[in-house]
Amino acid sequence: MDLPRSFTIRESGHRIHNPFTSEKLALLGRALSPAPGTRLLDLACGSGEMLCTWARDHGVTGTGVDISTVFLANARARAEELGVGDRVGFVHADASGHVADEPVGLAACVGATWIGGGVAGTVELLRRSLAPGGIMLVGEPFWRREPLDRATVEGCHATDKDDFLPLPELVEEFGRLGCDVVEMVLADQDSWDRYAAAQWLATRRWLDAHPDDELAEEMRADLAAAPARHVRHQREYLGWGVFALMNR
């Protein structure tokens, strides 16, 4: 049970595996200002940057769950680097079935709503771990502009235009799920650039170091196409944000 090696190669230069800068992650933490000791469950936590930095900056405690052994090793190393290894822990598991042993004040799935089969299922999953009055954090793409053709949809790694909603409709969807949106921090085009371009550099460095690897041809083809795909499609059409939700 793990992520494909091609994905972890592309993402090897990231601490945050979404188009979200460290500054925006810190802004979200300041906006929510969780009380010291607040427990955070982070499903599909990646390399654990949210949990580790919020433990350092806000005194939260908690658990991150992820399917990637590579990312979890990074998360544990990051926790030790920041001196919060005694306050946070990480579990190698399929996050789609994970529920906290005790209710938590913050339940998050930032950028991986596939674990619940989409936004609605992910909100229901997070609710199963949430304490009364707690906050859910959902990271999700949305259309900045309506895609006009199939090439744009596929260039944004979607199978259908309906995979994502425009921002107003996404916010309204949270309401239909019985949630109040109480905060949001959105990526911008520069955030997307930092996320995408770091993948290109990581891929190129890996190719230079592993020219004969069995994945080299696939990774070379991806690198050749990725920059143009980003500036033609993702950068212009796809937004992304983290939305803080409370049960009504």
Side-chain angles (χ1 to χ4, degrees):
M1 181 174 61
D2 217 325
L3 287 176
R5 191 159 64 99
S6 58
F7 186 85
T8 57
I9 290 169
R10 283 192 296 270
E11 298 272 323
S12 60
H14 293 72
R15 284 181 174 163
I16 302 170
H17 303 285
N18 291 296
F20 218 47
T21 63
S22 57
E23 292 80 10
K24 287 184 179 292
L25 182 62
L27 173 62
L28 179 62
R30 292 194 300 271
L32 297 176
S33 190
T38 298
R39 294 182 66 225
L40 166 60
L41 174 66
D42 190 1
L43 299 182
C45 67
S47 294
E49 189 70 359
M50 180 168 69
L51 187 54
C52 291
T53 56
W54 288 13
R56 176 196 63 190
D57 297 340
H58 303 285
V60 306
T61 65
T63 302
V65 182
D66 203 273
I67 200 173
S68 171
T69 55
V70 173
F71 293 164
L72 289 178
N74 294 341
R76 294 183 180 109
R78 183 65 164 154
E80 293 304 315
E81 176 189 357
L82 298 184
V84 296
D86 59 335
R87 281 182 269 161
V88 301
F90 298 94
V91 177
H92 179 233
D94 181 354
S96 63
H98 191 93
V99 177
D101 294 335
E102 298 179 6
V104 299
L106 289 167
C109 176
V110 176
T113 56
W114 53 265
I115 69 170
V119 169
T122 298
V123 167
E124 287 306 310
L125 176 62
L126 295 176
R127 276 184 169 136
R128 295 170 62 189
S129 296
L130 195 66
I135 293 176
M136 295 175 280
L137 300 176
V138 176
E140 181 70 2
F142 56 86
W143 292 120
R144 294 181 65 245
R145 297 166 55 189
E146 182 178 359
L148 301 180
D149 53 37
R150 183 73 185 171
T152 299
V153 171
E154 293 178 352
C156 293
H157 300 290
T159 57
D160 189 88
K161 186 177 76 170
D162 294 338
D163 286 356
F164 309 132
L165 295 170
L167 180 58
E169 282 83 347
L170 178 57
V171 170
E172 289 168 352
E173 174 68 8
F174 291 132
R176 285 190 291 270
L177 295 172
C179 300
D180 286 324
V181 177
V182 296
E183 184 57 84
M184 68 180 189
V185 177
L186 304 183
D188 53 27
Q189 289 181 308
D190 183 65
S191 307
W192 272 112
D193 293 345
R194 301 281 59 73
Y195 176 61
Q199 293 179 338
W200 312 334
L201 182 58
T203 300
R204 176 53 196 263
R205 285 174 171 168
W206 181 88
L207 283 166
D208 288 348
H210 303 88
D212 299 320
D213 191 279
E214 62 182 3
L215 287 179
E217 184 176 353
E218 172 190 338
M219 301 302 291
R220 161 50 60 193
D222 182 71
L223 177 58
R229 182 175 62 237
H230 170 66
V231 298
R232 186 181 299 278
H233 300 302
Q234 284 179 320
R235 194 177 196 275
E236 296 301 315
Y237 287 89
L238 198 60
W240 194 89
V242 180
F243 302 86
L245 315 173
M246 296 181 72
N247 286 321
R248 287 180 176 166

